[in-house]
Amino acid sequence: MFSIFDFSLRINGFPIRKAKSDLDKIVGLSADEKKQFIENQKQAIVDFHLENNSFYQKLVGSKNHKNWKDLPVLNKTNLQIPLESRLSKGFSTKTCYINKTSGSSGEPFVFAKDKYSHALTWASNMYRFGLHGIDFNRSLQARFYGITLDFIGNKKERFKDFLSKRYRFPIFDLSDAVLEKVLKKFQTTKFEYLNGYTSSIVLFAKFLRKQNLILKDICPTLKVCMVTSEMLFEDDKILLETQFGIPIINEYGASELDLIAFQNPNEEWLINSETLFVEILDENNNAVPNGAEGKIVITSLFNKAHPFIRYEIGDIGILDEKSTLDKPILKQLIGRTNDIAILPSGKKSPGLTFYYVTKSIIEDDGNVKEFVIKQREIDQFEIEYVSETELDLVQIQKIEQAIALYLEPNLHFAFIRKNTLERTARGKLKQFTSFL
């Protein structure tokens, strides 16, 4: 059968056949061979950029870099300069894959991948999705993602969707009337999987719950659902499993890198150790023990066009205690480093703690569809929510009491009911935002 997705990559200059073959060899390595491969590739990518990339040469400077831990940690502020000044010798914007990060960290930037590295990213995606029976060349995707609204950009995205066997649903309006149309599409289309932003897919599941419907009954060809870009809480995962009737797979990735972690059929959140090297570091850039939280720092092992070596992605996470170099497992993704709430007592708390504590109360009766929390002052918070009716005094008091118990007392909240919540240009929902 003709493989349209592979063909579209090849005609754009991405050597997907070689990338797939090379990835298969890496996946087939023994544990000891894999460890040696990672160490060799780390050294090779550093040597290449020290030899061929003036931006990275300047970043490293005259520091002793014989040991891996002596290499600087690259942050997004370092990348806020023109792309041309960050490219390696022999690469240009015309010969690379160029894209821009979403800006969810607050610091968007343009990046480059050489064509082989980008082909490896797609080979990696295909391999991981394939573990769940999904074939990019044949399996039809129900896509819950944002899309640019400018005419040319929109048409380009739609054409990519066609080549990639994806049907994209609108996510900027997820009212019941729109979700009814989504449901009808599932009734008439042989989708094999769902993929998209967690919050949008959760809203669809809540709509199904209200209708007392199971998606698998309506669309029997469905195999699996992959959620990405936003936090997946355990109760939401249970909701999705119940209303969809299929496995729910948690995905964690970054456009400038690759899929970073992807749940396997055993529900282990396996870190991609084929094309990436992932570290968890403390504030002083020292490695923390497995099981301890720290900032996630990632090295792209193959990208020669642009250095992503010890790159601080802006997230906080924990490696599982049983992680090894050849098989690292992500135990928990806590949130973004810039989503920290600073409280009057001086305490610092991940903003998602507020969200999680509030969530356990605010969604009990099924009335609230979704909500976000905004910190306006050190003791002043707003909770914007979408629901059929106003929150009552009992619910508000429960939220305030829970936050006083789990975080600290004397915090003040304004509850604002809205018809829709503000999303990013790409349709992502930011659960907590601090304006301090």
Side-chain angles (χ1 to χ4, degrees):
M1 185 183 291
F2 179 62
S3 301
I4 190 169
F5 187 71
D6 283 15
F7 178 72
S8 68
L9 288 169
R10 289 202 304 273
I11 63 171
N12 283 293
F14 301 111
I16 189 63
R17 282 178 178 162
K18 175 173 171 49
K20 280 184 171 182
S21 173
D22 290 349
L23 186 72
D24 285 345
K25 290 173 186 172
I26 299 168
V27 170
L29 295 174
S30 68
D32 287 342
E33 289 171 336
K34 181 78 171 290
K35 290 173 185 175
Q36 192 60 53
F37 156 78
I38 293 169
E39 293 302 336
N40 291 346
Q41 202 60 39
K42 282 164 59 182
Q43 188 64 53
I45 200 68
V46 169
D47 289 348
F48 179 87
H49 285 298
L50 285 175
E51 181 70 28
N52 297 284
N53 191 286
S54 58
F55 162 75
Y56 192 65
Q57 290 165 2
K58 183 185 280 189
L59 188 71
V60 173
S62 59
K63 297 174 188 173
N64 180 354
H65 52 267
K66 290 180 181 178
N67 297 315
W68 181 260
K69 63 183 178 62
D70 295 325
L71 291 169
V73 170
L74 175 68
N75 59 50
K76 295 188 179 183
T77 304
N78 299 137
L79 303 173
Q80 304 290 321
I81 60 174
L83 176 62
E84 287 79 0
S85 60
R86 291 182 269 126
L87 291 175
S88 301
K89 280 184 215 170
F91 295 95
S92 72
T93 54
K94 292 181 180 179
T95 60
C96 296
Y97 168 77
I98 309 295
N99 205 344
K100 186 177 183 179
T101 62
S102 66
S104 57
S105 66
E107 299 176 283
F109 61 89
V110 178
F111 65 89
K113 290 182 184 177
D114 63 77
K115 293 201 168 184
Y116 173 70
S117 175
H118 189 57
L120 264 180
T121 294
W122 277 115
S124 166
N125 285 333
M126 292 178 190
Y127 163 65
R128 290 169 219 290
F129 276 68
L131 295 174
H132 301 278
I134 298 303
D135 181 341
F136 280 18
N137 287 294
R138 296 172 180 82
S139 303
L140 184 60
Q141 176 192 143
R143 190 169 183 80
F144 288 77
Y145 269 75
I147 190 169
T148 179
L149 298 178
D150 75 88
F151 182 79
I152 294 175
N154 187 280
K155 295 303 178 189
K156 283 183 178 178
E157 288 289 325
R158 293 291 183 190
F159 184 60
K160 286 181 187 176
D161 286 345
F162 167 74
L163 294 176
S164 306
K165 294 190 69 66
R166 306 185 299 224
Y167 182 88
R168 190 183 298 244
F169 291 105
I171 63 169
F172 295 104
D173 177 5
L174 290 171
S175 61
D176 283 1
V178 171
L179 289 174
E180 189 66 49
K181 293 177 183 176
V182 172
L183 181 60
K184 285 180 180 176
K185 187 67 179 176
F186 274 91
Q187 289 171 333
T188 58
T189 310
K190 293 183 178 180
F191 290 116
E192 287 194 28
Y193 66 117
L194 298 87
N195 190 15
Y197 298 154
T198 308
S199 61
S200 300
I201 292 177
V202 166
L203 266 184
F204 184 40
K206 288 179 179 178
F207 170 79
L208 293 171
R209 180 174 63 186
K210 196 161 58 174
Q211 304 287 330
N212 197 27
L213 295 171
I214 306 297
L215 194 58
K216 176 77 170 173
D217 294 341
I218 292 159
C219 183
T221 51
L222 281 178
K223 294 179 179 177
V224 68
C225 170
M226 285 83 171
V227 294
T228 190
S229 293
E230 299 160 344
M231 297 290 287
L232 175 64
F233 295 99
E234 187 59 31
D235 54 346
D236 283 338
K237 184 177 183 182
I238 293 168
L239 169 71
L240 294 177
E241 288 171 340
T242 303
Q243 298 307 140
F244 291 170
I246 53 178
I248 308 301
I249 306 304
N250 206 354
E251 174 189 308
Y252 170 42
S255 57
E256 65 270 37
L257 296 167
D258 198 333
L259 275 179
I260 299 167
F262 199 78
Q263 280 187 327
N264 66 10
N266 297 324
E267 294 201 356
E268 294 173 311
W269 210 0
L270 279 187
I271 285 175
N272 169 5
S273 58
E274 286 77 35
T275 72
L276 304 176
F277 172 64
V278 176
E279 302 172 85
I280 307 291
L281 306 182
D282 64 18
E283 291 182 357
N284 297 315
N285 295 330
N286 296 314
V288 302
N290 290 349
E293 74 175 59
K295 57 187 182 182
I296 299 176
V297 173
I298 303 177
T299 297
S300 177
L301 295 173
F302 289 94
N303 190 356
K304 292 183 175 179
H306 185 294
F308 285 107
I309 297 170
R310 305 199 88 198
Y311 163 59
E312 186 177 338
I313 193 170
D315 292 330
I316 300 170
I318 302 172
L319 282 181
D320 195 286
E321 288 84 351
K322 61 178 179 283
S323 289
T324 57
L325 178 62
D326 61 295
K327 189 184 176 183
I329 300 169
L330 187 62
K331 181 177 184 177
Q332 189 179 356
L333 183 63
I334 295 171
R336 302 204 69 86
T337 51
N338 66 329
D339 293 339
I340 302 296
I342 301 172
L343 306 181
S345 66
K347 179 180 179 180
K348 294 181 180 179
S349 180
L352 282 170
T353 307
F354 276 84
Y355 182 84
Y356 191 71
V357 170
T358 305
K359 181 180 175 66
S360 63
I361 299 164
I362 207 169
E363 295 185 337
D364 275 353
D365 63 357
N367 175 38
V368 176
K369 292 184 177 180
E370 55 184 359
F371 69 98
V372 295
I373 299 176
K374 298 179 178 181
Q375 184 177 23
R376 295 292 182 181
E377 303 290 342
I378 197 161
D379 63 344
Q380 303 286 333
F381 296 81
E382 292 175 357
I383 297 180
E384 296 180 355
Y385 65 98
V386 177
S387 69
E388 295 171 6
T389 58
E390 296 271 356
L391 287 173
D392 60 36
L393 184 60
V394 173
Q395 287 174 303
I396 289 172
Q397 287 176 338
K398 279 185 179 178
I399 291 167
E400 291 175 340
Q401 288 167 3
I403 287 174
L405 176 64
Y406 287 99
L407 290 151
E408 67 180 59
N410 302 318
L411 302 177
H412 305 288
F413 292 84
F415 294 83
I416 305 165
R417 184 180 167 214
K418 307 192 85 170
N419 292 324
T420 58
L421 296 179
E422 182 182 348
R423 284 176 150 81
T424 69
R426 295 293 293 181
K428 293 183 185 179
L429 188 68
K430 202 162 189 288
Q431 286 104 345
F432 176 86
T433 305
S434 174
F435 291 93
L436 296 186

